[in-house]
Amino acid sequence: DSGVTQTPKHLITATGQRVTLRCSPRSGDLSVYWYQQSLDQGLQFLIHYYNGEERAKGNILERFSAQQFPDLHSELNLSSLELGDSALYFCASREPSTDTQYFGPGTRLTVL
Amino acid sequence: KNEVEQSPQNLTAQEGEFITINCSYSVGISALHWLQQHPGGGIVSLFMLSSGKKKHGRLIATINIQEKHSSLHITASHPRDSAVYICAPPPLNKLVFGAGTILRVKS
């Protein structure tokens, strides 16, 4: 158990819909990273938050947005969903003294 | 061209064999992560190293910053080592990940 929690574990929805994925970092970690892993592509970085502020953006689509709340949990919002958005979505938090990242178990999103 | 190249892409080994997975990168970096992703999907950070060698159980990671190369070795491999192994330079808020090496260890 990494200490990073993600909900839900699985999500099945239809094209055009909107979903929210939730992540809670390890206690004490201020960073949250979001990643997407689809079947035909490797792990791809989406966005990084640190203590409530956006720090870096990767290949995140305009239909996707994220935020980190004062209690440090983060939500990734995916809207106008397309079939190609079906993927595993991971979040991770970083332990600053060792620079080790701890990954959550992932949310498997299926868009039908 | 990806800035990080892993080899081999696929590897099948017999239980007990010594395994080496290589990671080469074209950009200058100061450190490297090795990640392990099990068939169930969960990702574990194995090592973050910036020089020399690190060992954790049967896993050994080495890095040569000047030669832009890192290796992950598994001694006395076991079927539970079957996973995808991914290398990536920190911080992990970039687009640069290795494509992964799919390792299957047969009993």
Side-chain angles (χ1 to χ4, degrees), chain A residues 14-62:
Chain A
T15 54
Q17 294 298 304
R18 173 189 167 96
V19 297
T20 297
L21 313 183
R22 183 187 167 109
C23 168
S24 291
R26 289 186 337 144
S27 177
D29 289 350
L30 303 179
S31 282
V32 170
Y33 300 76
W34 284 99
Y35 302 92
Q36 179 193 57
Q37 186 181 43
S38 49
L39 272 177
D40 57 346
Q41 297 191 16
L43 208 54
Q44 293 207 70
F45 165 68
L46 294 178
I47 197 162
H48 169 212
Y49 277 85
Y50 179 84
N51 203 20
E53 292 188 7
E54 182 187 302
R55 282 294 177 95
K57 256 184 176 176
N59 276 340
I60 188 165
L61 300 171
E62 283 191 13

Side-chain angles (χ1 to χ4, degrees), chain B residues 18-100:
Chain B
F18 181 83
I19 289 163
T20 295
I21 298 169
N22 295 300
C23 179
S24 297
Y25 36 93
S26 58
V27 293
I29 65 173
S30 59
L32 196 79
H33 279 281
W34 279 100
L35 309 175
Q36 179 193 55
Q37 185 172 25
H38 278 283
I43 298 175
V44 174
S45 179
L46 297 174
F47 296 103
M48 205 283 285
L49 67 164
S50 55
S51 65
K53 180 167 78 173
K54 279 191 178 178
K55 186 174 189 287
H56 186 252
R58 294 179 295 103
L59 300 176
I60 303 166
T62 63
I63 191 168
N64 186 317
I65 293 292
Q66 288 74 28
E67 293 187 4
K68 298 181 180 176
H69 182 266
S70 176
S71 293
L72 177 68
H73 307 284
I74 305 175
T75 61
S77 60
H78 190 275
R80 64 175 172 265
D81 297 326
S82 298
V84 178
Y85 293 84
I86 303 165
C87 66
L92 295 185
N93 62 354
K94 305 291 183 191
L95 302 178
V96 186
F97 284 89

